[in-house]
């Protein structure tokens, strides 16, 4: 959903502290009116390389810090949308590659983020808190900051310690590939992805609203609002444990004296089940260690089911095996055949956002997502979808 998405730009104070918001409310409303007129008509296709594709966000000046697979894909999509975007990476060869892709890539992070009003932090997970502190010092108070890390509690806690919750919105696009680096990046990798954002009440809410609209319009994202803790719990089972299982299966094969014969017969089930074992090992280790307690909890639950399957097999219990695979098949079918119903809501644009943030977080935990965000002078509207019961 892109039509009619109207949100204040960061320059208009969308991410300033709560006290500044009241003083700048009039400017925000006038800016919102200007953007409604700009955004009228059909929104762009997320795959088009079109300078007009930025829509209501065409004037946004963006920096991407860290341009591996995900950061590079963010960078290339924003380039294709015609936005003013710069990239920075600590690797000189990667910066040169960016330049060959037609993207400005200064030699220093200071140059890259200067004058920007949105910065994506896309470096390795263990570096995010340090990079957040650095970039916050280098950018104006109205600059919205977000990240793409695969765990959220640690970086959200860092933002709280640093006093940055008014403008930092923790994020995680649920997409990826086996390959790494800018060479593997694609402007379409994140198109239509589920993209977790972690809203917080008070001064943080306007930044979340604005970023939601941008991700929907420019990436076609399905924005899933969650608390950082809920994200890490859900991601443990949805993403992190599958990496452990893929590593176990591929690792057992590598150790087996029958490895070459196994690989000769390997077809779809083996390939699908081990795909993420091809992810760079350091990146996987960072992800697992960053969410260690929750991953171990969910792995224990998986072990329970594995033990049940093993016991049913050991005792030749066909009924038990069939029942457990029927249960598993129901989850697989639900993944492929999900149906949704509208769950739109409106909230006051100003004031205490506690109720708004509580609803947003409940929507995400219930499996729902946002398809846009419209901010008017008095009301913020969230078009949303919730999954129907099986």
């Amino acid at each position: 959903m892109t039509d009619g998405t109207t949100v204040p730009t960061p320059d208009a104070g969308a991410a300033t502290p709560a006290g500044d918001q009241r003083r700048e409310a009039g400017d925000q409303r006038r800016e919102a009116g200007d953007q409604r007129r700009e955004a009228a008509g059909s929104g762009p296709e997320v795959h088009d390389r079109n300078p007009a594709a930025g829509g209501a966000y065409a004037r946004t000046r963006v920096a991407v810090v860290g341009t591996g697979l995900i950061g590079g894909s963010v960078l290339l999509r924003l380039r294709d949308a015609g936005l003013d975007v710069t990239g920075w990476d600590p690797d000189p060869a990667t910066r040169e590659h960016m330049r060959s892709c037609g993207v400005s890539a200064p030699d220093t992070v200071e140059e890259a983020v200067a004058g920007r009003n949105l910065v994506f932090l896309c470096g390795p997970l263990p570096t995010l808190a340090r990079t957040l502190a650095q970039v916050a010092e280098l950018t104006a108070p109205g600059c919205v900051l977000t990240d793409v890390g695969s765990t959220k509690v640690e970086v959200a806690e860092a933002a709280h310690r640093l006093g940055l919750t008014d403008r930092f919105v923790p994020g995680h696009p649920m997409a990826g590939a086996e390959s790494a680096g800018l060479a593997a990046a694609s402007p379409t990798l994140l198109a239509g992805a589920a993209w977790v954002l972690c809203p917080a009440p008070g001064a943080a809410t306007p930044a979340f609203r604005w970023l939601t609209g941008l991700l929907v319009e420019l990436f076609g994202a399905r924005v899933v609002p969650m608390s950082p803790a809920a994200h890490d719990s859900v991601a443990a089972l949805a993403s992190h444990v599958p990496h452990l299982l893929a590593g176990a299966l591929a690792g057992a094969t590598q150790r087996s004296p029958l490895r070459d014969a196994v690989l000769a017969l390997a077809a779809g089930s083996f390939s699908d089940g081990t795909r993420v074992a091809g992810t760079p090992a350091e990146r996987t280790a960072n992800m697992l260690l960053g969410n260690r307690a929750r991953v171990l909890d969910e792995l224990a639950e998986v072990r329970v089911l594995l033990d049940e399957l093993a016991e049913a097999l050991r005792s030749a219990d066909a009924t038990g095996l069939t029942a457990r695979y029927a249960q598993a098949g129901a989850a697989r079918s639900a993944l492929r055949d999900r149906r949704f119903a509208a769950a739109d809501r409106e909230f006051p644009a100003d004031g205490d956002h506690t109720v708004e943030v509580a609803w947003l977080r409940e929507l995400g935990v219930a499996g729902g997502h946002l398809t846009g965000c419209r901010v008017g002078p008095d009301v913020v509207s969230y078009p949303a979808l919730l999954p129907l019961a099986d």
Side-chain angles (χ1 to χ4, degrees):
M1 194 289 300
T2 57
D3 296 349
T5 301
T6 56
V7 289
T9 66
D11 291 336
T16 55
D20 293 339
Q21 291 171 8
R22 290 189 293 272
R23 175 170 49 80
E24 297 174 356
D27 291 340
Q28 290 182 22
R29 290 175 185 132
R30 285 190 290 275
E31 184 71 20
D34 291 342
Q35 292 185 1
R36 276 195 296 274
R37 287 186 287 275
E38 290 178 19
S42 298
E45 293 293 329
V46 298
H47 302 294
D48 290 346
R49 183 167 186 174
N50 178 357
Y57 302 89
R59 291 178 294 170
T60 305
R61 305 183 72 222
V62 188
V64 179
V65 176
T67 54
L69 175 68
I70 300 300
S73 296
V74 171
L75 183 82
L76 295 176
R77 171 58 199 145
L78 296 174
R79 177 205 64 183
D80 284 6
L83 270 65
D84 178 354
V85 58
T86 62
W88 184 82
D89 195 275
D91 176 42
T94 300
R95 295 197 299 270
E96 189 57 39
H97 188 170
M98 278 186 264
R99 294 169 190 137
S100 73
C101 293
V103 177
S104 173
D107 286 330
T108 67
V109 68
E110 289 84 358
E111 294 174 277
V113 303
R116 302 286 116 177
N117 46 29
L118 171 62
V119 179
F120 287 87
L121 308 177
C122 306
L125 198 60
T127 71
L128 287 178
R130 182 172 68 252
T131 305
L132 173 62
Q134 179 186 19
V135 171
E137 287 288 329
L138 297 171
T139 52
C143 176
V144 174
L145 309 174
T146 188
D147 77 307
V148 299
S150 56
T151 65
K152 297 274 65 80
V153 168
E154 186 174 350
V155 71
E157 289 176 346
H160 181 75
R161 290 194 304 271
L162 294 165
L164 296 173
T165 54
D166 62 326
R167 63 186 181 115
F168 175 66
V169 185
H172 181 202
M174 301 299 294
E178 296 175 50
S179 303
L182 181 58
S186 165
T188 62
L189 178 68
L190 304 174
W195 199 311
V196 176
L197 290 180
C198 301
T205 311
F208 167 84
R209 295 168 175 172
W210 179 82
L211 186 57
T212 292
L214 181 144
L215 295 178
V216 169
E217 181 161 327
L218 299 185
F219 293 87
R222 294 172 286 124
V223 174
V224 182
M226 287 183 169
S227 70
H231 165 274
D232 286 4
S233 294
V234 174
L237 192 54
S239 175
H240 304 166
V241 169
H243 279 75
L244 282 174
L245 298 177
L249 178 57
T253 300
Q254 181 65 17
R255 292 179 180 180
S256 172
L258 298 174
R259 190 199 73 159
D260 290 338
V262 171
L263 297 179
L265 298 184
S269 59
F270 185 89
S271 179
D272 292 346
T274 60
R275 182 183 65 81
V276 294
T279 302
E282 184 177 3
R283 190 170 76 191
T284 300
N286 288 337
M287 176 186 71
L288 295 172
L289 291 170
N291 200 23
R292 180 174 56 181
R294 293 173 181 85
V295 172
L296 289 172
D297 286 344
E298 296 301 334
L299 182 61
E301 295 300 317
V302 173
R303 279 176 167 166
V304 169
L305 189 53
L306 282 172
D307 288 343
E308 291 176 1
L309 288 167
E311 180 56 32
L313 181 60
R314 190 177 296 112
S315 59
D317 180 3
T319 300
L321 282 171
T322 301
R324 284 163 179 79
Y325 273 99
Q327 184 182 49
R332 179 70 176 177
S333 295
L335 173 65
R336 292 189 172 278
D337 303 318
R338 300 188 84 201
R339 295 176 298 123
F340 294 85
D344 302 359
R345 283 288 298 271
E346 291 185 345
F347 298 92
D350 297 323
D352 182 2
H353 305 308
T354 302
V355 174
E356 177 183 345
V357 171
W359 175 80
L360 287 166
R361 290 175 171 181
E362 290 169 3
L363 176 77
V365 170
H369 62 271
L370 302 172
T371 60
C373 178
R374 304 187 191 99
V375 179
D378 302 307
V379 173
V380 56
S381 303
Y382 289 107
L385 295 173
L386 266 175
L388 296 172
D390 296 342

